[in-house]
Amino acid sequence: MIIDGKAAAERLRRQIAEEVARLRATHDLQPGLAVVLVGEDPASQVYVRNKGRQTLEAGMLSHGHKLDASVSEEELLTLIDTLNGDPSIHGILVQLPLPDHIDEQRVLQTIDPAKDVDGFHPLNVGGLASGDPHALVPCTPTGCLLLLLEQFDGNLSGQNALVIGRSNIVGKPMAQLLLRESCTVTIAHSRTRDLPAVCRKADIVVAAVGRPGMVRGDWIKPGAVVIDVGINRVQREGEDKPKLVGDVAFAEAADVAGAITPVPGGVGPMTIACLLRNTVIAACRHAEVEGQL
Ligand code: NDP
């Protein structure tokens, strides 16, 4: 079975739009998201445009801030301070990567943790690791988890889950979320010995590596659920445009897996939907309103 992430994201966005309409009607609360883009990176521009469009479509406020690549770190930090103090903004996202002269960690640590809808502030990272239910959780792993919960009827308890990749953005928070769902979690990385053998034991495989087609069909346990986070642009001979492929050799793995996400159309669309979700959650907490997401 192929997991349709696009359809799942549409369902989630519809649910978010309904919740926003309710919050506006009953609490005069309109969640607002500020997205800060530094420089002209074409991929980042596309992401930021999509985020802005989907924020507005959900009935939320969208504030875009485009800064020149030459902006100083101090100027960027001053903007973040202003956004931290703006009551109409409940979520702040600084699009990464930032230019080399800016200290990314310093920027992320300046964002008010209560508005940190990317979930990268150390307080949110620590909160997720220590089981704080109020921690804001990074969007991509949240999207993966929602897809998995759908596959397992809401109960992942006791499943053997393998996360391939240990980045702060995907691998580590993914492992924490699976642990929170009572999976038995293994985290693999570039130094893991005999990864195919480790993989064959997993009921759930989340691949977040950045290597096209690395996970082969014969690594997959029959019936396992495979979530492919990888987004790799591959230029094949005879094709004029590069193609997007995941970290899993899709055709091979789809023959063995119980369910698998495609690339594109799997995890990707869920990521922005989860950003909107985090913004609504942050807005409800700020206004001390009980949310329904
Ligand atoms: P990173 O480069 O930060 O991390 C990659 C991880 O993969 C590292 O932990 C690395 O191990 C591990 N790795 C590398 N080679 C191997 C190998 N041969 N065997 C096992 N593990 C290996 O990447 P990200 O986590 O940021 O992203 C991963 C992928 O997900 C990328 O393709 C990215 O584009 C995509 N992505 C997709 C998103 C979406 O919305 N769908 C959002 C974010 C990312 P080590 O630590 O030992 O170096």
Side-chain angles (χ1 to χ4, degrees), residues 47 139-141 144 164-171 187-192 195 207-211 214 219 228-233 245-247 266-272:
Y47 292 140
C139 303
T140 300
C144 297
I164 314 177
R166 54 173 162 179
S167 71
N168 291 333
I169 294 174
V170 190
I187 307 175
H189 44 77
S190 66
R191 309 294 172 89
T192 298
L195 183 54
V209 184
R211 293 170 71 97
M214 184 188 84
W219 297 20
D228 191 350
V229 183
I231 300 179
N232 309 288
R233 281 180 176 77
V245 300
D247 290 338
V267 173
M270 287 297 282
T271 296
I272 300 186

Coordinates of all heavy atoms in Angstrom, one line a residue, residues 47 139-141 144 164-171 187-192 195 207-211 214 219 228-233 245-247 266-272, ligand 1:
Y47 N 9.9 27.2 -0.6 CA 9.4 26.8 0.7 C 8.6 27.9 1.4 O 7.5 27.7 1.9 CB 10.5 26.3 1.7 CG 11.2 25.0 1.2 CD1 12.5 24.9 1.4 CD2 10.4 23.9 0.7 CE1 13.2 23.7 1.0 CE2 11.1 22.8 0.3 CZ 12.5 22.7 0.4 OH 13.1 21.5 0.0
C139 N 8.6 19.8 12.8 CA 7.4 19.6 12.0 C 7.6 18.3 11.2 O 6.6 17.5 11.0 CB 7.2 20.7 11.0 SG 7.0 22.3 11.8
T140 N 8.8 18.0 10.6 CA 8.9 16.8 9.7 C 8.7 15.5 10.6 O 7.9 14.7 10.1 CB 10.3 16.8 9.0 OG1 10.3 18.0 8.2 CG2 10.4 15.6 8.2
P141 N 9.3 15.3 11.7 CA 9.1 14.1 12.5 C 7.6 14.0 12.9 O 7.0 12.9 13.0 CB 10.0 14.2 13.7 CG 10.9 15.4 13.5 CD 10.4 16.1 12.3
C144 N 5.7 12.6 10.1 CA 6.0 11.2 10.0 C 5.1 10.4 11.0 O 4.5 9.4 10.7 CB 7.4 10.9 10.2 SG 8.5 11.6 9.0
I164 N 16.8 5.8 10.6 CA 18.1 5.9 10.0 C 18.4 7.4 9.8 O 17.8 8.1 9.0 CB 18.2 5.2 8.6 CG1 17.5 3.8 8.7 CG2 19.6 5.0 8.2 CD1 17.5 3.0 7.4
G165 N 19.4 7.9 10.5 CA 19.8 9.3 10.5 C 19.6 9.8 11.9 O 18.7 9.5 12.6
R166 N 20.6 10.7 12.3 CA 20.5 11.2 13.7 C 20.7 12.7 13.7 O 21.3 13.3 14.6 CB 21.7 10.6 14.5 CG 23.0 10.7 13.9 CD 24.1 10.2 14.9 NE 25.3 10.0 14.1 CZ 26.5 9.5 14.7 NH1 26.5 9.3 15.9 NH2 27.5 9.3 13.9
S167 N 20.1 13.4 12.7 CA 20.2 14.9 12.7 C 19.3 15.4 13.8 O 18.3 14.8 14.2 CB 19.8 15.4 11.3 OG 18.4 15.3 11.2
N168 N 19.5 16.7 14.2 CA 18.7 17.4 15.1 C 17.3 17.7 14.6 O 16.3 17.9 15.3 CB 19.4 18.7 15.6 CG 20.6 18.4 16.4 OD1 20.7 17.4 17.1 ND2 21.6 19.3 16.4
I169 N 17.3 17.8 13.2 CA 16.0 18.3 12.6 C 15.1 17.1 12.4 O 13.9 17.3 12.6 CB 16.4 18.9 11.2 CG1 17.2 20.2 11.4 CG2 15.1 19.2 10.4 CD1 17.7 20.9 10.2
V170 N 15.6 15.9 12.1 CA 14.7 14.8 11.8 C 15.0 13.6 12.7 O 14.1 13.2 13.5 CB 14.8 14.4 10.3 CG1 13.7 13.4 10.0 CG2 14.7 15.5 9.3
G171 N 16.2 13.0 12.6 CA 16.4 11.7 13.2 C 16.2 11.7 14.7 O 15.4 10.9 15.2
I187 N 18.4 3.8 16.6 CA 18.8 4.9 15.8 C 20.1 4.5 15.0 O 21.1 4.1 15.7 CB 19.2 6.2 16.6 CG1 18.0 6.5 17.5 CG2 19.5 7.3 15.7 CD1 18.3 7.7 18.4
A188 N 20.0 4.5 13.7 CA 21.2 4.1 12.9 C 21.8 5.3 12.3 O 21.1 6.3 12.1 CB 20.8 3.1 11.8
H189 N 23.1 5.2 11.9 CA 23.8 6.4 11.3 C 24.9 5.9 10.5 O 25.0 4.6 10.2 CB 24.3 7.3 12.4 CG 24.9 6.6 13.6 ND1 26.1 6.1 13.5 CD2 24.3 6.3 14.8 CE1 26.4 5.5 14.7 NE2 25.3 5.6 15.4
S190 N 25.8 6.7 10.1 CA 26.8 6.3 9.1 C 27.8 5.3 9.7 O 28.5 4.6 8.9 CB 27.6 7.5 8.6 OG 28.3 8.1 9.6
R191 N 27.9 5.2 11.0 CA 28.8 4.2 11.6 C 28.1 2.9 12.0 O 28.8 2.0 12.6 CB 29.5 4.8 12.8 CG 30.1 6.2 12.6 CD 31.3 6.1 11.6 NE 31.8 7.4 11.3 CZ 32.7 8.0 11.9 NH1 33.3 7.5 13.0 NH2 33.1 9.2 11.5
T192 N 26.8 2.8 11.7 CA 26.1 1.6 12.1 C 26.7 0.4 11.4 O 26.9 0.4 10.2 CB 24.6 1.7 11.8 OG1 24.1 2.8 12.6 CG2 23.8 0.5 12.1
L195 N 23.9 -2.4 8.6 CA 22.6 -1.7 8.6 C 21.5 -2.6 7.9 O 20.3 -2.7 8.5 CB 22.7 -0.4 7.9 CG 21.4 0.5 7.8 CD1 20.8 0.7 9.2 CD2 21.7 1.8 7.2
A207 N 13.5 6.6 7.2 CA 14.8 6.8 6.5 C 15.0 8.3 6.4 O 14.2 9.0 5.6 CB 14.9 6.1 5.2
A208 N 16.0 8.9 7.0 CA 16.3 10.4 6.9 C 17.8 10.5 6.8 O 18.5 10.9 7.7 CB 15.7 11.1 8.1
V209 N 18.2 10.2 5.6 CA 19.7 10.1 5.3 C 20.2 11.1 4.3 O 21.2 11.8 4.5 CB 20.0 8.7 4.8 CG1 21.5 8.5 4.7 CG2 19.4 7.6 5.7
G210 N 19.5 11.3 3.2 CA 20.0 12.1 2.1 C 20.8 11.4 1.1 O 21.7 12.0 0.5
R211 N 20.6 10.1 1.0 CA 21.3 9.3 0.0 C 20.3 8.6 -0.9 O 19.6 7.7 -0.4 CB 22.2 8.3 0.7 CG 23.4 8.9 1.4 CD 24.1 7.9 2.3 NE 24.8 7.0 1.4 CZ 26.1 7.1 1.2 NH1 26.8 8.1 1.7 NH2 26.8 6.2 0.5
M214 N 19.2 4.5 -1.0 CA 20.1 3.7 -0.2 C 19.5 2.4 0.4 O 20.1 1.4 0.5 CB 20.7 4.6 0.9 CG 21.8 3.8 1.7 SD 22.3 4.8 3.2 CE 21.0 4.3 4.4
W219 N 16.2 -5.1 2.4 CA 16.5 -4.7 3.8 C 15.2 -4.7 4.6 O 15.2 -4.6 5.8 CB 17.0 -3.3 3.8 CG 18.4 -3.1 3.2 CD1 19.0 -3.8 2.2 CD2 19.2 -1.9 3.5 NE1 20.2 -3.2 1.9 CE2 20.3 -2.1 2.6 CE3 19.1 -0.8 4.3 CZ2 21.4 -1.1 2.6 CZ3 20.1 0.1 4.3 CH2 21.3 -0.1 3.5
D228 N 9.7 7.4 4.2 CA 10.9 7.9 3.5 C 11.0 9.4 3.6 O 10.2 10.1 2.9 CB 10.8 7.4 2.0 CG 12.1 7.7 1.3 OD1 13.0 8.4 1.8 OD2 12.3 7.2 0.1
V229 N 11.9 10.0 4.4 CA 12.0 11.4 4.6 C 12.8 12.1 3.5 O 12.7 13.2 3.2 CB 12.5 11.7 6.0 CG1 12.5 13.2 6.2 CG2 11.7 11.1 7.1
G230 N 13.7 11.3 2.9 CA 14.7 11.8 2.0 C 14.2 12.6 0.8 O 13.1 12.2 0.3
I231 N 14.8 13.7 0.5 CA 14.5 14.4 -0.7 C 15.8 14.6 -1.4 O 16.7 15.4 -1.0 CB 13.9 15.8 -0.3 CG1 12.6 15.7 0.5 CG2 13.6 16.6 -1.6 CD1 12.0 17.0 0.9
N232 N 16.0 13.9 -2.5 CA 17.3 14.0 -3.2 C 16.9 14.3 -4.7 O 16.0 13.7 -5.3 CB 18.0 12.6 -3.2 CG 18.1 12.1 -1.8 OD1 18.9 12.6 -1.0 ND2 17.4 11.1 -1.4
R233 N 17.7 15.3 -5.2 CA 17.5 15.6 -6.7 C 18.5 14.8 -7.5 O 19.7 14.9 -7.3 CB 17.8 17.1 -6.9 CG 16.6 17.9 -6.5 CD 16.7 19.4 -6.6 NE 15.5 20.0 -6.3 CZ 15.1 20.2 -5.0 NH1 15.8 19.9 -4.0 NH2 13.9 20.8 -4.8
V245 N 13.9 12.0 -5.7 CA 13.8 10.6 -5.2 C 14.1 10.6 -3.7 O 14.8 11.5 -3.1 CB 14.7 9.6 -5.9 CG1 14.4 9.6 -7.4 CG2 16.2 10.0 -5.7
G246 N 13.6 9.5 -3.0 CA 13.8 9.4 -1.6 C 15.1 8.6 -1.2 O 15.9 8.4 -2.1
D247 N 15.2 8.3 0.0 CA 16.3 7.5 0.5 C 16.1 6.0 0.4 O 17.0 5.2 0.6 CB 16.6 7.8 2.0 CG 17.1 9.2 2.2 OD1 17.7 9.8 1.3 OD2 17.0 9.7 3.3
G266 N 4.8 12.2 -0.2 CA 4.7 11.4 1.1 C 4.9 12.4 2.3 O 3.9 13.1 2.6
V267 N 6.1 12.4 2.9 CA 6.3 13.2 4.1 C 6.3 14.7 3.8 O 5.8 15.5 4.6 CB 7.7 12.8 4.7 CG1 8.1 13.7 5.8 CG2 7.7 11.3 5.1
G268 N 6.8 15.1 2.6 CA 7.0 16.5 2.3 C 5.7 17.3 2.6 O 5.8 18.3 3.4
P269 N 4.6 17.0 2.0 CA 3.4 17.8 2.2 C 2.9 17.9 3.7 O 2.3 18.9 4.1 CB 2.3 17.1 1.4 CG 3.0 16.2 0.5 CD 4.3 15.9 1.1
M270 N 3.3 16.9 4.5 CA 2.9 16.9 5.9 C 3.7 17.9 6.7 O 3.2 18.4 7.7 CB 3.1 15.5 6.5 CG 2.1 14.4 6.1 SD 0.5 14.8 6.6 CE 0.5 14.3 8.3
T271 N 4.9 18.2 6.2 CA 5.8 19.1 7.0 C 5.1 20.5 7.2 O 5.1 21.0 8.3 CB 7.2 19.2 6.3 OG1 7.7 17.9 6.4 CG2 8.1 20.1 7.1
I272 N 4.7 21.1 6.1 CA 4.1 22.4 6.2 C 2.8 22.4 7.0 O 2.5 23.2 7.8 CB 3.9 23.1 4.8 CG1 5.2 23.2 4.1 CG2 3.2 24.5 5.0 CD1 5.1 23.9 2.7
Ligands
NDP1 P1 21.7 15.3 7.7 O1 22.7 15.3 6.6 O2 21.7 16.3 8.8 O3 21.7 13.8 8.4 C1 21.9 12.7 7.7 C2 22.0 11.5 8.6 O4 22.1 10.3 7.8 C3 23.2 11.6 9.5 O5 22.9 11.2 10.8 C4 24.2 10.5 8.9 O6 25.0 9.9 9.9 C5 23.2 9.5 8.3 N1 23.9 8.8 7.2 C6 24.6 9.3 6.2 N2 25.1 8.3 5.4 C7 24.6 7.1 6.0 C8 24.8 5.8 5.7 N3 25.5 5.4 4.6 N4 24.2 4.9 6.5 C9 23.5 5.2 7.5 N5 23.3 6.5 7.9 C10 23.9 7.5 7.1 O7 20.2 15.2 7.0 P2 18.8 15.6 7.5 O8 18.4 14.8 8.6 O9 18.6 17.1 7.6 O10 17.9 15.2 6.2 C11 17.9 13.9 5.8 C12 17.1 13.8 4.5 O11 15.8 14.2 4.7 C13 17.6 14.7 3.4 O12 17.4 14.1 2.1 C14 16.7 15.9 3.4 O13 16.6 16.6 2.2 C15 15.4 15.3 3.9 N6 14.5 16.2 4.6 C16 13.2 16.2 4.2 C17 12.3 17.0 4.8 C18 10.8 16.9 4.4 O14 10.1 17.8 4.7 N7 10.4 15.8 3.8 C19 12.7 17.9 5.9 C20 14.0 17.7 6.3 C21 14.9 16.9 5.6 P3 26.1 10.6 10.7 O15 25.4 11.3 11.8 O16 26.9 9.4 11.2 O17 26.9 11.4 9.8

